[in-house]
């Protein structure tokens, strides 16, 4: 017997949500609709306002987030739409050492007078965040941060910000809705670079912003329309196709990441991974996440050693971005725009879904080669 009132688990929703109504002879998936306009009359009007493929993806992600999702052309377009909610001249509190694209958008906004002030603070230091929150118009968080993997105490920060009337946005790209649900923890918006885990195959750029507040969700939609930050038809199709296996990919890549982090740490390397018992974010991550994500960072002593390690890998591809089925790695500070709070020798590993022994063997030979050359 099935209980019709029992909520479906996220794994089931990843597979079933965002499907067309079941009608004999109808397609099982919402087909991509390549059109810039619609015949005048009832329903859709123009391609910048609506697309059936966006709606299917938004339905599925919205159900996973516990809110209403709006799809954007990229993760950064979703970030920009939420930042657009800040009043002109307003103050934003944001995490140090977080995603460089977001920090760049905040810096540009401050330089151009769009924001009055941007206050960067260590998100793992709750007292420090509270110390700079006074008079802010938005608390922007990212947890764990990209790439430092700092874990913010989300329940404490959300409640402190709300107490002061400050809304909170959380970039949960590293977690996916299967691992962290910021809206359930009280956040006003959750943002994803769906380019990463949600789409999951390194073949599409797409962003998601979601809110449990229908008015906020409506404003996100109108911002998208007004700024033209619309996703491509094919990208939305690929993202929903990728989402169908999100739970399987997340499960495997998290299990792989846990093994690799343990082994790297056992070899004496400085490893950042919230799943390690000794990691500063471990207890918090255990309390507020379901798993620890699939990004592992290793702090090598200097840039040159880090580059030699990256170059010596054969199976792991040196590439920016993350969250695909394939394992990739990069020394983040090779980008001149990366935050100076990120150590020069930090290598970020995006752990994929390959066989973990193959992944380890490659990392192991690359590291052994390093010490071999002194
Ligand atoms: C990649 C990334 C973004 C930006 O997403 P794009 O899809 O590249 O625009 C935002 N936040 C985080 C944490 C990211 O890793």
């Amino acid at each position: 017997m099935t209980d019709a009132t029992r909520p479906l688990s996220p794994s089931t929703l990843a597979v079933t949500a965002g499907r067309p109504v079941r009608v004999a002879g109808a397609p099982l998936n919402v087909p991509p609709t390549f059109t810039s306009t619609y015949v005048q009359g009832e329903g859709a009007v123009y391609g910048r306002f609506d697309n059936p493929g966006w709606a299917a993806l938004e339905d599925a992600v919205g159900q996973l987030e516990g809110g209403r999702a709006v799809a954007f052309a990229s993760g950064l377009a979703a970030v920009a739409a939420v930042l657009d909610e800040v009043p002109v001249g307003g103050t934003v509190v944001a995490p140090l050492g977080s995603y460089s694209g977001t920090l760049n958008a905040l810096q540009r906004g401050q330089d151009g007078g769009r924001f009055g002030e941007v206050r960067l603070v260590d998100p793992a230091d709750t007292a420090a965040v509270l110390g700079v929150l006074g008079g802010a118009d938005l608390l922007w968080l990212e947890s764990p941060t990209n790439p430092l993997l700092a874990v913010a105490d989300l329940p404490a920060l959300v409640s402190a910000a709300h107490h002061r009337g400050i809304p909170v946005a959380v970039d949960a790209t590293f977690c996916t809705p299967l691992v962290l649900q910021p809206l359930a923890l009280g956040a006003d918006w959750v943002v994803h670079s769906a380019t990463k885990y949600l789409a999951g195959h390194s073949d599409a750029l797409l962003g998601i912003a979601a809110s449990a507040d229908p008015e906020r969700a409506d404003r996100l939609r109108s911002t998208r329309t007004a700024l033209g930050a619309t996703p491509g038809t094919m990208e939305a199709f690929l993202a929903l196709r990728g989402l169908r296996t999100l739970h399987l990919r997340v499960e495997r890549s998290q299990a792989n990441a846990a093994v690799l982090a343990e082994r790297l740490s056992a070899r004496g390397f400085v490893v950042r991974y919230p799943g390690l018992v000794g990691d500063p974010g471990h207890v918090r991550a255990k309390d507020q996440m379901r798993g620890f994500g699939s990004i592992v960072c290793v702090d090598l002593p200097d840039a040159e050693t880090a580059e030699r390690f990256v170059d010596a890998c054969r199976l792991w591809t040196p590439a920016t971005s993350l969250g695909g089925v394939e394992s990739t790695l990069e020394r983040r500070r090779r980008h001149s725009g990366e935050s100076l709070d990120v150590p020069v020798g930090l290598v970020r590993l995006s752990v994929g879904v390959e066989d973990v022994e193959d992944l380890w063997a490659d990392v192991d030979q690359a590291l052994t080669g390093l010490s071999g050359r002194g």
Side-chain angles (χ1 to χ4, degrees), residues 332-355:
R332 282 300 298 175
R333 283 287 297 280
R334 80 193 177 94
H335 300 286
S336 60
E338 183 58 295
S339 167
L340 300 181
D341 295 298
V342 175
V344 290
L346 180 140
V347 177
R348 186 185 68 194
L349 293 91
S350 172
V351 181
V353 302
E354 303 92 334
D355 183 275

Side-chain angles (χ1 to χ4, degrees), residues 50-347:
D50 287 296
N51 183 285
W54 305 346
L57 174 67
E58 289 167 348
D59 178 18
V61 178
Q63 288 194 48
L64 288 171
E65 293 288 1
R68 272 175 51 195
V70 181
F72 288 85
S74 67
L76 212 45
V79 169
V82 174
L83 293 181
D84 201 52
E85 294 288 289
V86 176
V88 172
T91 294
V92 182
V93 172
L96 272 178
S98 57
Y99 178 62
S100 57
T102 302
L103 295 181
N104 182 48
L106 289 168
Q107 183 67 50
R108 284 170 63 100
Q110 186 178 24
D111 294 347
R114 172 63 183 83
F115 305 125
E117 198 186 341
V118 175
R119 301 176 188 154
L120 298 182
V121 62
D122 175 4
D125 185 343
T126 303
V129 180
L130 299 186
V132 297
L133 212 46
D137 298 284
L138 174 68
L139 172 58
W140 183 273
L141 293 168
E142 187 179 287
S143 190
T145 50
N146 178 6
L148 291 183
L149 295 170
V151 180
D153 185 343
L154 294 175
L157 292 177
V158 167
S159 105
H162 284 177
H163 194 69
R164 294 161 170 82
I166 304 165
V168 182
V170 179
D171 182 333
T173 296
F174 273 24
C175 288
T176 85
L178 302 183
V179 174
L180 180 71
Q181 293 201 293
L183 301 183
L185 297 177
D188 301 280
W189 300 273
V190 59
V191 173
H192 291 281
S193 169
T195 307
K196 318 289 169 57
Y197 294 99
L198 297 185
H201 295 73
S202 309
D203 52 13
L205 282 161
L206 198 122
I208 294 282
S211 179
D213 171 358
E215 284 177 21
R216 286 199 163 103
D218 283 345
R219 284 205 302 275
L220 290 172
R221 272 186 70 94
S222 44
T223 302
R224 174 179 72 186
T225 303
L227 300 182
T230 51
T233 299
M234 194 64 193
E235 280 75 4
F237 179 81
L238 288 171
L240 183 53
R241 189 190 212 278
L243 191 75
R244 298 303 183 207
T245 55
L246 180 65
H247 52 304
L248 303 175
R249 292 183 286 106
V250 164
E251 194 179 304
R252 169 63 92 88
S253 63
Q254 285 198 141
N256 285 352
V259 170
L260 297 174
E262 287 289 351
R263 290 186 188 174
L264 280 167
S265 155
R267 270 190 71 162
F269 290 99
V270 180
V271 179
R272 300 171 193 245
Y273 183 62
L276 291 174
V277 174
D279 189 88
H282 181 66
V283 173
R284 244 176 225 168
K286 226 166 81 170
D287 285 347
Q288 68 195 26
M289 289 158 59
R290 267 181 254 109
F292 303 102
S294 326
I295 302 293
V296 177
C297 291
V298 54
D299 285 28
L300 292 171
D302 51 59
E304 202 249 323
T305 310
E307 291 293 353
R308 277 202 285 137
F309 167 55
V310 170
D311 288 344
C313 288
R314 312 247 174 281
L315 182 61
W316 295 69
T317 306
T320 198
S321 196
L322 56 102
V325 288
E326 61 289 301
S327 295
T328 58
L329 82 176
E330 102 178 305
R331 183 178 77 87
R332 282 300 298 175
R333 283 287 297 280
R334 80 193 177 94
H335 300 286
S336 60
E338 183 58 295
S339 167
L340 300 181
D341 295 298
V342 175
V344 290
L346 180 140
V347 177

